[in-house]
Amino acid sequence: MRSKIHDLICREHFNPQLNSFVNAPGSNALDASLLILAKVGFLPATDPRILGTVSAIEERLSEKGFVYRYNTHRIDDRFPPAKAPLFPAHFG
């Protein structure tokens, strides 16, 4: 079952156009929680898909050394849009 779930996530939650994992199948929305994939051993930190995810999050969700959890202007979570990033970024 673990292998089937792993394969499903790699197949359905990776967006080749963004070169990044995304928060839902067929989506182009990023979520900083995707950064945990390497930490929990889902894939090695050197895997090109992980490196692409880190780059996409750094490019699209980080600002002045901090990272937004997700783009609150694009995702309606019924909360007001974030005014500031949530946590410090440590890329590279």
Side-chain angles (χ1 to χ4, degrees):
M1 183 57 80
R2 178 190 179 279
S3 180
K4 288 181 180 182
I5 293 169
H6 188 275
D7 292 346
L8 175 80
I9 292 170
C10 287
R11 186 176 61 251
E12 301 289 329
H13 288 261
F14 185 78
N15 182 316
Q17 287 79 28
L18 292 177
N19 191 35
S20 176
F21 284 98
V22 291
N23 71 347
S27 172
N28 63 0
L30 298 173
D31 189 307
S33 67
L34 295 165
L35 295 171
I36 202 167
L37 289 173
K39 181 137 179 103
V40 300
F42 184 80
L43 288 170
T46 56
D47 185 286
R49 294 166 292 183
I50 295 295
L51 296 173
T53 300
V54 170
S55 292
I57 289 171
E58 181 178 22
E59 179 183 316
R60 296 170 180 238
L61 295 180
S62 70
E63 179 181 307
K64 298 179 184 173
F66 289 86
V67 176
Y68 289 95
R69 167 72 192 273
Y70 53 88
N71 185 335
T72 59
H73 297 285
R74 293 189 64 212
I75 296 174
D76 182 13
D77 59 5
R78 298 188 178 155
F79 290 104
K83 292 186 168 81
L86 297 177
F87 51 92
H90 297 285
F91 297 106

